[in-house]
Amino acid sequence: METCAECGAPMDPRSCDELFQILLALDHARQAPWGPLHGVSVACFLLQHPSRLPADDGARAWALLHAYLEGGLDEVNQLVGRARRGNSHRVQGRPAPAAPDAARPRRDTPHSPFPVTIHDVAVDGSFPATEFTERVKAWAAATVDAWS
């Protein structure tokens, strides 16, 4: 069975990319349980597929996962709110608010296959609502543990 070169998940019957597109469609519907966890899901996916990390090498994704694991969605929403306020045209010239002080992973950090991947969260490829939140929390924890 073929596996993903980045996260180590078996790619049968769908690839990680295909599952990510399905998850994004659910996220963008903005319905619970998927919508509220959009940022956490994207952060997990990017950190498990480091070739797709943005120019910040995952600093925001890393901060978001730490906020989620330490304080839940309330903490994530506060972090996102600070980032939005920092990006406002009203604060041009002022430094953006600092992300939580969590040492972020380097793009070249070696890791073994992740114990929880998007394939586990997808279950049968449909990302069922039942226990979705618990699966995402396990995904976040596995991602942070593997890079720590």
Side-chain angles (χ1 to χ4, degrees):
M1 180 179 299
E2 188 178 350
T3 60
C4 174
E6 294 192 276
C7 74
M11 294 195 298
D12 184 38
R14 293 186 173 113
S15 71
C16 295
D17 253 354
E18 290 171 309
L19 289 175
F20 189 54
Q21 294 307 314
I22 293 167
L23 181 56
L24 288 178
L26 290 167
D27 288 354
H28 289 299
R30 298 180 185 217
Q31 294 180 5
W34 310 278
L37 290 168
H38 170 75
V40 176
S41 297
V42 170
C44 288
F45 186 80
L46 291 175
L47 288 166
Q48 287 194 358
H49 298 85
S51 69
R52 298 177 181 130
L53 284 173
D56 73 352
D57 280 341
R60 287 184 186 183
W62 190 247
L64 194 139
L65 287 188
H66 277 273
Y68 178 63
L69 292 171
E70 293 167 12
L73 282 176
D74 288 341
E75 188 69 26
V76 167
N77 292 335
Q78 289 177 20
L79 177 65
V80 170
R82 286 191 301 270
R84 282 188 183 134
R85 286 188 296 279
N87 284 337
S88 171
H89 67 280
R90 294 183 196 130
V91 294
Q92 286 180 346
R94 286 191 242 160
D101 194 20
R104 71 177 189 250
R106 292 187 2 232
R107 198 179 282 257
D108 60 348
T109 301
H111 60 277
S112 58
F114 293 91
V116 180
T117 68
I118 193 167
H119 290 265
D120 300 300
V121 179
V123 180
D124 59 1
S126 70
F127 297 91
T130 304
E131 298 182 359
F132 178 77
T133 302
E134 292 81 2
R135 291 190 308 276
V136 169
K137 189 164 192 166
W139 190 20
T143 302
V144 168
D145 287 348
W147 283 103
S148 295

